[in-house]
Amino acid sequence: MSIYLLKGRFQGLLRPGVRLLARIGVTANQVTLAAAALSLLVAWVVFSAAPARPLLYLLLPMWMLLRMALNAVDGMLAREFGQQSPLGAYLNELCDVVADAALYLCLLAVPGIQTHLFWAMVLLALLTEYAGVLGLMVGGGRRYEGPMGKSDRAFVVGLIGVLLAMEWIGGSAVNIAVAIMAALCLPTIGRRINAGMREAREASLAHGE
């Protein structure tokens, strides 16, 4: 199971706005770059100011939701309005992993955080996305299996932001959550590799016929 499975319904809600953006000349690459830049800005604000002003942790859930919308918007602009390009594919993947890492690592400013757990989770999250992209290299498609894909990680980090803002948890609870996220990235990587290999085998058999 993964929150990614809700993507189709989410896109349906966004489609009227996407049509408007396309009509006024907004491109998929512009949306991708804007989302990455704003992610870095949110991460910097949370890292530098939220420990002293806990309500600023609410920027995380608010931005995670908006960023998920922007990620859907750039994909819809690319696919549905003829804006797909090699540059767009590179920007989409690279901007996502940079923004993800920044938004996770901004929580390093929380008192009591175990730094090594965060770096382990960031590394495993990067490997999770790499395993998804490798599906294309073996003749299949981009893989999005859970249980700890990008959307799932965004939900958890957003929830952590809410709990920190309310001062209901501290560093110890965040450490536990991050350790669980890191652990769940492992089966996610395995599922994506298996699904990609299975799809590649099926494609090979189909071509053989």
Side-chain angles (χ1 to χ4, degrees):
M1 294 299 295
S2 173
I3 293 173
Y4 182 79
L5 297 176
L6 301 175
K7 183 178 180 180
R9 296 180 183 178
F10 195 41
Q11 287 178 330
L13 296 173
L14 296 172
R15 189 158 279 109
V18 174
R19 292 194 190 102
L20 176 61
L21 290 175
R23 199 175 304 131
I24 63 177
V26 175
T27 69
N29 288 351
Q30 288 171 345
V31 175
T32 300
L33 290 170
L38 288 170
S39 293
L40 295 176
L41 176 61
V42 169
W44 178 78
V45 171
V46 171
F47 180 82
S48 61
R53 300 177 181 84
L55 285 178
L56 287 175
Y57 284 116
L58 290 175
L59 287 173
L60 288 174
M62 290 188 292
W63 175 244
M64 289 297 189
L65 181 61
L66 181 56
R67 181 174 170 240
M68 286 173 64
L70 292 174
N71 284 344
V73 166
D74 68 6
M76 293 166 70
L77 283 170
R79 289 188 303 274
E80 299 177 14
F81 294 91
Q83 297 182 17
Q84 288 180 312
S85 68
L87 175 60
Y90 275 105
L91 288 177
N92 188 59
E93 295 295 341
L94 292 174
C95 287
D96 270 356
V97 295
V98 169
D100 283 346
L103 290 165
Y104 305 153
L105 293 174
C106 73
L107 291 172
L108 287 173
V110 176
I113 284 299
Q114 296 292 320
T115 303
H116 65 280
L117 288 176
F118 269 83
W119 284 107
M121 189 270 286
V122 169
L123 174 61
L124 289 167
L126 292 175
L127 290 176
T128 297
E129 297 313 304
Y130 191 46
V133 173
L134 284 174
L136 297 167
M137 293 184 62
V138 298
R142 176 67 159 88
R143 307 309 311 180
Y144 296 98
E145 285 79 9
M148 194 49 65
K150 179 171 62 179
S151 300
D152 308 298
R153 296 192 302 270
F155 174 80
V156 175
V157 172
L159 179 59
I160 289 172
V162 171
L163 297 176
L164 287 170
M166 299 298 104
E167 300 186 69
W168 290 343
I169 63 171
S172 297
V174 176
N175 288 333
I176 293 170
V178 170
I180 292 171
M181 290 173 68
L184 289 175
C185 282
L186 293 171
T188 303
I189 293 169
R191 290 192 68 208
R192 292 185 178 190
I193 292 172
N194 288 334
M197 292 175 64
R198 182 173 61 250
E199 187 178 12
R201 285 195 299 268
E202 291 171 354
S204 178
L205 290 173
H207 289 140
E209 294 174 357

